[in-house]
Amino acid sequence: AAMSRKRLQQLVDSLGRSAKHFNKNEVECLIKVFDALVAKSSNRFAAVGFDRNSFRDTLHSAFGMTDDMIMDRVFRTFDRDNDSCISVVEWVEGLSVFLRGTLEEKIKYCFEVYDLNGDGYISKEEMFQMLKNSLLKQPSEEDPDEGIKDLVDIALKKMDYDHDGKLSFMDFEKAVRDENLLLEAFGPCLPDIK
């Protein structure tokens, strides 16, 4: 059901403040897009928002994402209250960083996506999981895992400034500030330029 004009206005006003990279017109458009997408999806949360599958479909069709593991992590990063449903507020605030975030915000976001167990570090195992998942397998390779282990070692050498064998947020942030290309080092979790 489309929301009332008054409710829409209130939402636009509050999101205009919290999603600081969008102006009010953009916020209103994003709310309408959200409503339209939710209306055509047949998920069990349809009254409140996106479930994981509808969100994944949207990431795929709108932003060209194909990696299931990464899309799942993006879902969890958007889903601030962990209720397995993305509300309109989580949608607009999430997109604000996803599409227009400052470098600082994007570093935070990517780190969160890559920190699979949420312990505040990106461990060797987590890097391995993500790289294994995002690299194309070459049929000729005897043991592709070896190559991935090498990549993990290279990433650690380059990014682990305090040499504790894992990446803290400070390690990650420093590495990305020195070399912006490292922002998505462990898998594409931001929209492509299009």
Side-chain angles (χ1 to χ4, degrees), residues 23-157:
N23 64 37
K24 286 192 174 167
N25 290 346
E26 290 170 324
V27 167
E28 191 166 336
C29 283
L30 287 171
I31 293 170
K32 288 176 176 159
V33 168
F34 178 86
D35 282 345
L37 288 168
V38 168
K40 82 171 206 259
S41 79
S42 54
N43 76 70
R44 58 200 167 99
F45 294 111
V48 260
F50 285 126
D51 66 3
R52 189 160 299 192
N53 289 338
S54 337
F55 186 68
R56 177 180 284 174
D57 293 346
T58 302
L59 286 176
H60 179 68
S61 55
F63 304 113
M65 286 197 173
T66 51
D67 183 329
D68 282 340
M69 179 181 182
I70 294 280
M71 287 195 281
D72 187 58
R73 296 298 308 156
V74 173
F75 178 86
R76 287 169 195 239
T77 309
F78 270 66
D79 181 18
R80 287 273 159 228
D81 59 5
N82 282 327
D83 64 353
S84 299
C85 169
I86 291 177
S87 68
V88 66
V89 171
E90 288 169 333
W91 162 252
V92 176
E93 289 176 354
L95 284 176
S96 175
V97 171
F98 187 73
L99 295 172
R100 302 230 179 114
T102 60
L103 181 61
E104 183 59 39
E105 288 170 325
K106 284 181 173 165
I107 291 173
K108 241 195 177 97
Y109 160 83
C110 290
F111 185 83
E112 232 176 280
V113 168
Y114 299 148
D115 176 11
L116 301 179
N117 64 1
D119 68 352
Y121 292 95
I122 303 172
S123 67
K124 277 174 122 158
E125 290 69 39
E126 288 168 328
M127 286 179 216
F128 183 82
Q129 281 306 314
M130 286 177 291
L131 289 170
K132 185 180 172 76
N133 184 51
S134 66
L135 294 171
L136 295 169
K137 295 182 185 36
Q138 300 302 326
S140 61
E141 285 180 54
E142 292 78 58
D143 184 8
D145 286 4
E146 278 313 304
I148 295 166
K149 288 193 179 100
D150 293 342
L151 276 175
V152 168
D153 290 339
I154 293 167
L156 273 172
K157 249 193 207 82

